[in-house]
C-alpha cells in the first residue's frame, strides 16, 4: 500500500541554521506530494505541494523537490526562525486524486534563539 | 470565512463510555474527512464523506466507530464503547473538490480514554 517515511524527531536547531527533513514515499503510481505543518495550538496547514516529478514546491522560505528517481520529497529551509517551530508532516495523495492523503509520522522541529 | 471547527478540543472518558466528536467543515465544502493520530504516530485516514454519503470508510478501525453526516453539513464521529487504544487526536478536514490538492484541517479533538 501507499506509505510515507520521514525522519524522526525531535529536531533542535539554532536560529538561522539550515534545515533538512527527509521524506521518502512508496513509488505506487504518480502521486502528488505535500508537506503539512502544525504550529502549536493550531490545526494542520498545507505548507507546500508538488504534483509531478521535478516540480519544486515552495512557501515561506521552505522548499521541497519531487524526486522520482529517489522517491523523495525532502523539506529544506536555508535559515530557520523561532517561529518555524512546529510539527512537519510529509504526505502523499492517491495516484490520480487527492482524496485519500497518506501521512508520515511527523517531525517536531524546535528552533532556539 | 470560518475554518474547520471541531468540538470538543479535549475529552477525557473512562473505558466503556461513549464519546461523540463533532466537525463543522468549511461552508460549501462537499468533502469531509476524518483522520486520527495515535501516540505520536502517523496521521491515519479513517473515512471520507461526499456530502452525506460515505465515499470511503476503509480506515475505520472497527464497528465501535460510527460516523455520520446527516444533511451533508456537519459530521459526528461516535466511539462506543471506548477502549484505551482509541486515545489519540482525531482530525477533521474538508475540501471543495477532489482534485484541489489541499485539505483544510481543524485543530483536532484530543481523546483520552482512561
Amino acid at each position: 500500500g501507499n506509505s510515507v517515511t520521514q525522519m524522526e524527531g525531535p529536531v533542535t536547531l539554532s536560529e538561522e541554521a539550515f534545515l533538512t527533513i527527509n521524506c521518502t514515499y512508496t513509488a505506487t503510481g504518480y502521486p502528488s506530494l505535500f508537506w503539512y505543518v502544525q504550529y502549536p495550538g493550531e490545526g494542520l496547514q498545507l505548507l507546500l505541494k508538488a504534483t509531478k516529478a521535478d516540480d519544486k514546491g515552495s512557501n515561506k522560505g521552505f522548499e521541497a523537490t519531487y524526486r522520482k528517481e529517489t522517491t523523495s520529497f525532502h523539506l529544506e529551509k536555508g535559515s530557520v526562525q523561532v517561529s518555524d517551530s512546529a510539527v512537519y508532516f510529509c504526505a502523499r495523495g492517491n495516484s490520480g486524486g487527492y482524496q485519500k492523503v497518506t501521512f508520515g509520522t511527523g517531525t517536531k522541529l524546535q528552533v532556539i534563539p | 470565512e470560518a475554518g474547520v471547527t471541531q468540538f470538543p478540543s479535549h475529552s477525557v472518558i473512562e473505558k466503556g463510555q461513549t464519546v461523540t466528536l463533532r466537525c463543522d467543515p468549511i461552508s460549501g465544502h462537499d468533502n469531509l474527512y476524518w483522520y486520527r493520530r495515535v501516540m505520536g504516530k502517523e496521521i491515519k485516514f479513517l473515512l471520507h464523506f461526499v456530502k452525506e454519503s460515505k465515499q470511503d470508510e476503509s480506515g475505520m478501525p472497527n464497528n465501535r466507530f460510527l460516523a455520520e453526516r446527516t444533511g451533508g453539513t456537519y459530521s459526528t464521529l461516535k466511539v462506543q464503547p471506548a477502549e484505551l487504544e482509541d486515545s489519540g487526536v482525531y482530525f477533521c478536514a474538508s475540501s471543495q473538490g477532489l482534485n484541489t490538492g489541499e485539505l483544510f484541517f481543524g485543530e483536532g479533538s484530543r481523546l483520552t480514554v482512561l
Side-chain angles (χ1 to χ4, degrees):
Chain A
N2 296 338
S3 68
V4 174
T5 303
Q6 65 180 102
M7 65 184 285
E8 291 189 17
V11 174
T12 302
L13 294 175
S14 297
E15 208 164 20
E16 298 183 3
F18 183 86
L19 169 71
T20 299
I21 301 178
N22 291 338
C23 171
T24 57
Y25 62 94
T26 50
T28 307
Y30 302 93
S32 292
L33 302 174
F34 311 93
W35 276 99
Y36 279 82
V37 59
Q38 185 179 23
Y39 297 105
E42 299 183 17
L44 285 157
Q45 305 172 24
L46 180 66
L47 179 61
L48 53 84
K49 68 178 181 182
T51 57
K52 61 183 187 296
D54 299 325
D55 266 4
K56 178 186 284 187
S58 60
N59 186 23
K60 299 182 181 180
F62 290 89
E63 293 183 339
T65 301
Y66 191 140
R67 301 283 188 201
K68 188 168 179 291
E69 63 277 11
T70 54
T71 62
S72 65
F73 193 55
H74 304 322
L75 182 69
E76 297 182 337
K77 186 173 185 180
S79 176
V80 293
Q81 305 300 312
V82 173
S83 57
D84 293 327
S85 298
V87 182
Y88 293 82
F89 294 89
C90 186
R92 60 161 286 166
N94 274 351
S95 297
Y98 299 79
Q99 62 268 35
K100 191 171 177 179
V101 176
T102 301
F103 288 88
T105 53
T107 302
K108 184 174 182 179
L109 169 67
Q110 183 177 13
V111 180
I112 54 177
Chain B
E1 180 182 321
V4 176
T5 56
Q6 293 187 242
F7 181 83
S9 57
H10 191 190
S11 180
V12 181
I13 61 173
E14 294 190 350
K15 176 182 171 180
Q17 290 186 320
T18 298
V19 65
T20 300
L21 310 178
R22 172 172 169 143
C23 169
D24 287 76
I26 292 173
S27 177
H29 282 192
D30 288 341
N31 296 283
L32 186 149
Y33 309 81
W34 283 98
Y35 285 82
R36 179 174 74 166
R37 188 181 191 210
V38 174
M39 289 191 63
K41 296 185 178 179
E42 68 268 28
I43 300 171
K44 286 196 172 181
F45 169 85
L46 295 179
L47 86 159
H48 169 211
F49 284 99
V50 177
K51 296 184 180 179
E52 68 275 9
S53 299
K54 292 176 185 174
Q55 189 74 13
D56 181 351
E57 53 184 330
S58 60
M60 294 288 266
N62 51 60
N63 60 9
R64 295 185 293 104
F65 289 75
L66 175 64
E68 294 181 324
R69 193 184 182 194
T70 307
T73 54
Y74 71 91
S75 174
T76 58
L77 179 64
K78 182 193 293 188
V79 184
Q80 178 182 30
E83 298 289 343
L84 299 179
E85 63 265 25
D86 300 332
S87 296
V89 181
Y90 291 77
F91 291 100
C92 177
S94 70
S95 69
Q96 193 164 29
L98 287 178
N99 293 317
T100 60
E102 180 173 2
L103 301 181
F104 294 86
F105 281 84
E107 295 182 14
S109 291
R110 180 176 295 276
L111 173 63
T112 302
V113 183
L114 303 176

